[in-house]
Amino acid sequence: MDRDHACATDAAPPVDEPRRLPRTDVLLADPRLTAAARRLGRELVKDVVARVQTRARAGEVPIGEIADHAVAALPATASALRPVINATGVLLHTNLGRAALSKAARDAVLAASGTTDVELDLTTGARARRGSSTLDALLRSVPAAEAAHVVNNGAAALALTATALAQGREIIVSRGEMVEIGDGFRLPDLLESTGARLREVGTTNRTTPADYAAAVGPDTGFILKVHPSNFRVTGFTREASVAELAPLGVPVVADIGSGLLTPEPVLPGEPDATGWLRAGASLVTASGDKLLGGPQCGLLLGDAELVRRLARHPLARALRVDKLTLAALEATVRGPEPPTLTALRADPVELRRRAERLAEELRADGVDSRAVDTEAVVGGGGAPGVTLPSAAVSLPAEYAALLRGTDPAVLARVGDGRCLLDLRAVPVDVDARLAEAVRRAGASRGTAGRGTGT
Ligand SMILES: *Cc1c(COP(=O)(O)O)cnc(C)c1O
């Protein structure tokens, strides 16, 4: 391109003229972007710059402001995972990573994230049992368990149990408990993939202790009792309790799913590890990131000899949890009430008060908002059919999509043609950020959501 042309372009760029963008390395030399490259990695910053350059080429960003826009578009961390406020009214939302960790658990994760004494005795300098303080914390919370082991998730706990105790043998399970846990994953398939054979007993709605007793034989690895955690069978039903199965002379493995270690008064129908161990289960398996409110992991609690066999099995190594999980789990079990339980136990009157306060505050800013009563659920494979009275801030429906784009993003529920921000799963100290997100969403919509607010 000739010189004259270039000067003319600099003075007043004609619309159809190719724009002369500053070179990428020149942009990356901006001190703010250099600092960001140290914090986030050069590739990530380059990608952000490239995206802004594309927008500049399309005339959406003034050429002199590319660096400014790139700085504004930098992500907070080097991971694309973004924080999302859970305003769905589903306490454990699988798509949102189930349980939110407590502050104590987050701090523990951060502290353990460098090199740490996860498998070392600092007093002697010798190797120590991996995660021993986490296992001790679990056993202190569940004295009915002789021993504990932790794996990657609830499914891994079952896979390890089936492999170590029933490979080439039989697992006796009720036809009413052959469940799909979600996203196409079925427990029977998982169990059979370990080389165990399923011995189905009873019917979908009725299985008696005698059905199990008739199936017990020399090939029995164990009886599996599964808590139907995401559906309910009602009407003409009968299931055998753990207490009825315990005397049959073979190990009873009980999958409680939800991870409650002790009874939870808000959910009287939900089994807990202590209760089923006391009733005679040899082993209880559970998830760590459901009602326990901790990190994703699978808990195995119970008979010392069985737990030892699981922990020593070669497969155990492939299902081993990392130091971050051990740290978060210990802090969840030992520490203050995690957010999941705070949400579960929240007082509906207080939720309504928060909704009123937020709706009023937003109305003052011209947002069409009002407080409404709602029903929340546990979700994520816990307490099916149980609803928890809750309250929400009701907004025009279009907010649902706009709020997914704010930072932090907000996931709402849409009902009755309105966008509902259900407060039960929103920690109270997040209310201000939630309101701010709504204001920004309203501003991005242009009209700022002006309405009657009725
Ligand atoms: C959730 C659940 C599982 C699977 O646990 P993950 O931690 O998701 O692997 C297994 N069994 C029951 C009864 C469950 O509720």
Side-chain angles (χ1 to χ4, degrees), residues 98 153-155 158 181 187 226-227 229 255-257 287 289-290 381:
R98 289 194 187 150
N153 55 21
L158 283 169
I181 51 184
L187 283 191
V226 181
H227 173 56
S229 58
D255 176 15
I256 60 169
S287 300
D289 56 350
K290 293 181 179 173

Side-chain angles (χ1 to χ4, degrees), residues 94 98 152-158 177 179-182 185 187 190 225-230 254-259 270 285-290 295-299 380-382:
T94 300
R98 289 194 187 150
N152 268 321
N153 55 21
L158 283 169
E177 296 175 10
V179 305
E180 175 170 322
I181 51 184
F185 285 100
L187 283 191
L190 174 76
K225 175 88 191 141
V226 181
H227 173 56
S229 58
N230 54 8
D255 176 15
I256 60 169
S258 74
E270 198 65 20
T285 70
S287 300
D289 56 350
K290 293 181 179 173
Q296 179 192 300
C297 61
L299 309 180

